């Protein structure tokens, strides 16, 4: 039993197995780190925001949900930044 989350380990294993089945997971590698450094320098983003973006680019994502970057910003003609807390009036 995990006391912090009040979940038994059997349920936790089930959740993790399904999480990896449902979603693509990017392992941070040299390519992602180098891309993050490039994004950080080029776009003046924090390294950590850039690392998340670099991982999303490697996975081929086209939407990046965050409240930390400019809503609607296009990153490398591949990812559009979407702030999920801004009401879309469209």
């Amino acid at each position: 039993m995990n006391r912090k989350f009040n979940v038994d380990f059997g349920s936790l294993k089930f959740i993790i197995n399904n999480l990896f089945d449902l979603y693509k997971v990017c392992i941070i590698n040299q390519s992602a780190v180098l891309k993050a450094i490039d994004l950080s320098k080029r776009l003046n983003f924090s390294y950590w925001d850039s690392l998340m973006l670099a991982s999303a680019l490697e996975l081929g994502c086209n939407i990046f949900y965050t409240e930390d970057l400019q809503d609607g910003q296009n990153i490398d003609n591949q990812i559009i930044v979407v702030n999920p807390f801004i009401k879309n009036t469209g």
Side-chain angles (χ1 to χ4, degrees):
M1 176 69 77
N2 183 305
R3 289 183 290 158
K4 182 175 182 178
F5 298 109
N6 196 27
V7 175
D8 67 87
F9 286 113
S11 296
L12 194 55
K13 267 180 93 172
F14 176 79
I15 291 167
I16 295 300
N17 284 332
N18 283 305
L19 182 72
F20 282 83
D21 288 343
L22 292 172
Y23 299 100
K24 295 178 184 176
V25 176
C26 182
I27 304 300
I28 297 172
N29 57 26
Q30 181 181 5
S31 173
V33 170
L34 293 173
K35 179 71 173 174
I37 291 168
D38 174 61
L39 288 168
S40 182
K41 286 171 54 179
R42 187 165 41 94
L43 301 173
N44 200 30
F45 291 165
S46 76
Y47 169 76
W48 300 110
D49 287 337
S50 298
L51 184 58
M52 289 185 286
L53 276 168
S55 298
L57 285 164
E58 283 198 358
L59 289 174
C61 298
N62 56 11
I63 297 175
F64 188 79
Y65 292 99
T66 181
E67 63 180 317
D68 295 329
L69 303 176
Q70 182 181 341
D71 185 62
Q73 186 172 6
N74 186 321
I75 309 294
D76 288 355
N77 294 316
Q78 182 180 329
I79 294 180
I80 300 295
V81 174
V82 173
N83 183 336
F85 301 108
I86 293 178
K87 184 177 179 179
N88 186 348
T89 58

